Amino acid sequence: MDTDSRAKAQRFAELHREGCFLLPNAWDVGSARILEAAGFPAVATTSAGVAFSLGRPDHDFFAEQPPEDRVDRETMLGRVREIAGGLAVPLSADLEDGYGESPETVATTVARTVAAGAAGGNIEDFTGDRTRPLYDHKLSVERVRAARETLAADGEPFVLVGRTDALLVGGTLDEAVRRANAYLEAGADCAFVPGAADAETIGRLVREIDGPLNVVMGLTGNTLSLDDLRALGVRRVTVGGSIARAMYRRLLDAARELADQGTFSYATDQLSQTELNDLFRQGSRQG
């Protein structure tokens, strides 16, 4: 990790010490630079958004997604490297399940993510296999521990996030809490429990999880605001692929208007060439 990447990683770690911050998700350098220009202190990637930008579906159950449709580790880390290199703020990477089952594979993925310039990353326990949608509890813990041991050996700052998809696959809140705490004990710096969207559920997670909690908003038009989440005690808020999906909604609407009506009203609210040029000039980057 070079000096600039190390400084970003240290700043990113500090964001997790106290308070609550919003970490929006980008899928390419352009989307990340726009989020940076809006003033966010850090940006995350979205595996869904990256997949969509490549014309592929997001990581899903294997029955619904042939292996050749999945974005592989090389492609994802290449995108992480591009985005990290194009930002002056820290970048956290969505690493899905670490691109393999074994703890050794997860450790390698995390080490390569550090080398790509990221300041943090998520490791999830979703398998893609309907017969066992989550990795076995013990194995899941070993995967997080292997990642932490690799980071400790390298001595580089990196915010490791242990994500459990228990709620997304029909598991109980008790299981989500149990897994989140186990990942924190194994060395994760932050727990991530997608699928929690109401104040009661999130409040219980905050109370029962022994460390910082990340929740994701924007998946179902959540009514909770950042102030609400801050009051509940959430440390970090991401938005997953929701910005990317909103962008693709606009693209699909424009395509349908052009194809079906031959009109151009979709262009009424477009950003001007000048605005985008100004946003993307290297000299406009915030230090």
Side-chain angles (χ1 to χ4, degrees), residues 16 122 175 245:
H16 294 75
N122 307 342
E175 181 179 14
R245 287 192 297 274

Side-chain angles (χ1 to χ4, degrees), residues 66-82:
E68 59 271 19
D69 277 356
R70 187 177 179 189
V71 178
D72 60 44
R73 182 169 68 181
E74 294 300 319
T75 302
M76 188 63 74
L77 290 182
R79 184 63 64 87
V80 169
R81 184 175 295 104
E82 290 174 358

Side-chain angles (χ1 to χ4, degrees), residues 61-286:
F61 286 107
F62 297 147
E64 287 77 26
Q65 182 183 34
E68 59 271 19
D69 277 356
R70 187 177 179 189
V71 178
D72 60 44
R73 182 169 68 181
E74 294 300 319
T75 302
M76 188 63 74
L77 290 182
R79 184 63 64 87
V80 169
R81 184 175 295 104
E82 290 174 358
I83 298 174
L87 292 177
V89 298
L91 178 72
S92 185
D94 180 350
L95 301 174
E96 299 185 316
D97 72 336
Y99 300 95
E101 179 170 339
S102 74
E104 294 79 13
T105 298
V106 173
T108 298
T109 296
V110 169
R112 293 187 59 185
T113 303
V114 173
N122 307 342
I123 296 295
E124 65 191 46
D125 52 16
F126 176 69
T127 67
D129 184 348
R130 285 195 182 276
T131 65
R132 52 158 199 151
L134 301 180
Y135 286 113
D136 173 78
H137 181 86
K138 181 179 179 182
L139 175 60
S140 296
V141 171
E142 290 173 350
R143 285 156 45 84
V144 173
R145 181 174 292 115
R148 173 50 62 195
E149 289 174 351
T150 293
L151 292 167
D154 289 342
E156 299 289 3
F158 187 90
V159 176
L160 179 64
V161 179
R163 166 176 160 166
T164 177
D165 283 18
L167 297 182
L168 296 182
V169 299
T172 65
L173 194 57
D174 286 341
E175 181 179 14
V177 169
R178 181 170 66 95
R179 282 177 173 263
N181 279 330
Y183 302 161
L184 289 166
E185 187 176 351
D189 300 295
C190 182
F192 181 13
V193 186
D198 62 277
E200 182 179 356
T201 301
I202 293 172
R204 181 178 165 192
L205 289 173
V206 170
R207 291 191 301 272
E208 297 187 14
I209 291 176
D210 300 323
L213 173 67
N214 182 113
V215 297
V216 59
M217 294 286 111
L219 301 187
T220 57
N222 311 90
T223 58
L224 295 176
S225 68
L226 185 61
D227 284 343
D228 294 330
L229 296 167
R230 182 179 292 111
L232 286 169
V234 172
R235 182 61 46 83
R236 190 173 98 166
V237 181
T238 49
V239 296
S242 63
I243 299 176
R245 287 192 297 274
M247 293 284 289
Y248 280 105
R249 171 79 267 172
R250 293 295 299 272
L251 175 59
L252 182 59
D253 288 346
R256 286 175 172 165
E257 180 186 353
L258 289 168
D260 298 342
Q261 303 174 38
T263 57
F264 312 96
S265 66
Y266 73 88
T268 301
D269 296 325
Q270 65 179 295
L271 283 171
S272 71
Q273 188 87 354
T274 299
E275 288 175 296
L276 285 171
N277 282 346
D278 287 344
L279 277 169
F280 295 149
R281 291 185 206 284
Q282 289 295 319
S284 68
R285 292 174 62 188
Q286 301 298 309

